[in-house]
Amino acid sequence: MNNPKELLERNFPTAVQDARNAAKTSLYNGPDSSYQLAFTDTDFLLNADLRPVRMQLELLKPEMVQREEGIESTIVVFGSARIQAADVAHAGLDEAEALPPGSAREQAIRAAKRHVEMSRYYEEARRFASLVTEHSAQLDNPIYVVTGGGPGVMEAGNRGAHEVGGKSLGLNIVLPHEQEPNPYITPRLCFQFHYFALRKMHFLMRSVALVCFPGGFGTLDELFETLTLIQTGKCRKRPVLLFGRAFWTKLINFDHLVETGMISPEDVHLFRYVETADEAWETLREVYRLGQPEADTACGW
């Protein structure tokens, strides 16, 4: 026997219903009134004393949405916002070469050639995201690409997933000069953060790997934070892949850190260098034994 409908009805109105009712015109709706419901009062919620509540909300909202969307495993793709797609970089070189002779033209050509050279990383990130999205779609728990949501390598990661019909995440953050979300993020999975710390948590909470392409301070920040968490045992060990050995070994002298005793010799095994999207995907496939019997899926990193 089914329960009568009346037994299942709510005893109290929902917050949405009360918010709508409270929005009706009132004598106390003026600018100096405190009559507004606390959870609809933006000025109140933005008060400095409400920071703990705002941090809780910023942790909770993406968590709830990801849970609703069945997101359990992610691969984080980091890299410079300044790296251009190959076609954009080549178009920029054509424009530079069309400038009238002079020092400005030579400088523009040098910069454009640098963009062309670095654009290979955009294309590798794009292909890598496509490989992850397409191949992991066959798993019981697919792996979703997550990026910082902006341009450059971040755009490439979301774009690659989008081009094979998959979903991907973008964890954007409010910055003075950036950033508008790139157009390839799944709208339902496009988030905006105020707190870097909460954004960092969401990058790692579901990640099974971190893939770093060449980048600046932001990329280095996320890379070293992840390596520190793994090194200290604060999070489980997972693959950390650095795209472009030549770039990373010129940028960071890990051997010097070992020689001076700043890190242990075994710490250099917390990451691997890769050069192509296929190599990166094959590395992850081997580490997680993807495509093999479920009983053999333990991580051998």
Side-chain angles (χ1 to χ4, degrees):
M1 178 186 300
N2 293 328
N3 287 331
K5 181 180 177 182
E6 290 75 13
L7 293 180
L8 304 177
E9 290 182 350
R10 293 178 59 92
N11 287 332
F12 303 102
T14 66
V16 173
Q17 291 170 332
D18 268 353
R20 287 173 180 167
N21 291 332
K24 297 175 182 178
T25 302
S26 167
L27 176 65
Y28 289 96
N29 279 349
D32 296 326
S33 174
S34 296
Y35 183 66
Q36 188 175 353
L37 284 167
F39 58 83
T40 67
D41 188 340
T42 304
D43 290 338
F44 170 69
L45 291 174
L46 296 180
N47 188 288
D49 290 339
L50 269 290
R51 181 178 291 122
V53 175
R54 292 196 300 274
M55 295 181 75
Q56 182 180 11
L57 292 174
E58 201 153 278
L59 178 66
L60 189 57
K61 179 182 176 180
E63 170 64 25
M64 291 174 63
V65 173
Q66 289 181 80
R67 194 183 304 150
E68 291 167 3
E69 291 294 313
I71 309 295
E72 296 186 10
S73 300
T74 62
I75 285 181
V76 184
V77 175
F78 283 127
S80 176
R82 306 181 186 192
I83 292 178
Q84 300 176 349
D87 57 343
V88 174
H90 281 94
L93 179 57
D94 291 340
E95 291 178 6
E97 291 175 337
L99 293 173
S103 59
R105 177 179 184 271
E106 294 173 0
Q107 184 178 359
I109 289 176
R110 284 196 299 271
K113 285 183 176 179
R114 184 172 66 247
H115 283 304
V116 169
E117 180 182 357
M118 297 300 289
S119 69
R120 81 173 186 87
Y121 292 111
Y122 182 105
E123 302 306 328
E124 291 297 338
R126 181 178 173 184
R127 173 162 169 73
F128 173 73
S130 294
L131 287 172
V132 169
T133 304
E134 193 168 28
H135 287 288
S136 75
Q138 313 304 320
L139 301 174
D140 291 338
N141 295 308
I143 303 171
Y144 298 92
V145 169
V146 55
T147 78
V153 168
M154 295 175 281
E155 175 187 286
N158 295 120
R159 183 176 181 179
H162 176 77
E163 288 174 336
V164 294
K167 298 188 293 188
S168 69
L169 297 83
L171 307 187
N172 299 265
I173 190 159
V174 179
L175 298 174
H177 56 282
E178 293 181 32
Q179 71 186 10
E180 185 72 16
N182 70 68
Y184 303 104
I185 307 167
T186 302
R188 174 74 169 151
L189 299 171
C190 185
F191 304 101
Q192 185 170 207
F193 289 83
H194 171 68
Y195 298 104
F196 265 108
L198 276 301
R199 181 179 184 242
K200 289 172 181 290
M201 285 193 66
H202 275 291
F203 272 131
L204 295 182
M205 284 170 64
R206 288 172 165 80
S207 71
V208 299
L210 171 69
V211 181
C212 280
F213 290 81
F217 291 156
T219 302
L220 293 172
D221 175 37
E222 301 294 352
L223 169 62
F224 278 106
E225 178 145 30
T226 302
L227 290 176
T228 300
L229 290 170
I230 295 174
Q231 179 201 51
T232 58
K234 288 294 288 183
C235 74
R236 68 176 177 81
K237 202 172 184 182
R238 71 200 71 191
V240 177
L241 307 183
L242 305 184
F243 257 84
R245 177 187 288 268
F247 174 87
W248 289 104
T249 53
K250 186 175 182 179
L251 177 65
I252 307 167
N253 190 339
F254 289 104
D255 291 335
H256 179 65
L257 291 174
V258 174
E259 291 165 3
T260 55
M262 300 299 101
I263 62 174
S264 301
E266 59 269 21
D267 288 338
V268 298
H269 300 300
L270 295 177
F271 57 87
R272 297 185 190 182
Y273 299 110
V274 294
E275 301 298 330
T276 67
D278 291 287
E279 182 184 0
W281 171 247
E282 184 62 22
T283 299
L284 295 176
R285 193 190 65 78
E286 291 179 358
V287 167
Y288 287 109
R289 308 177 74 86
L290 300 176
Q292 298 187 29
E294 187 174 351
D296 296 328
T297 56
C299 177
W301 179 253

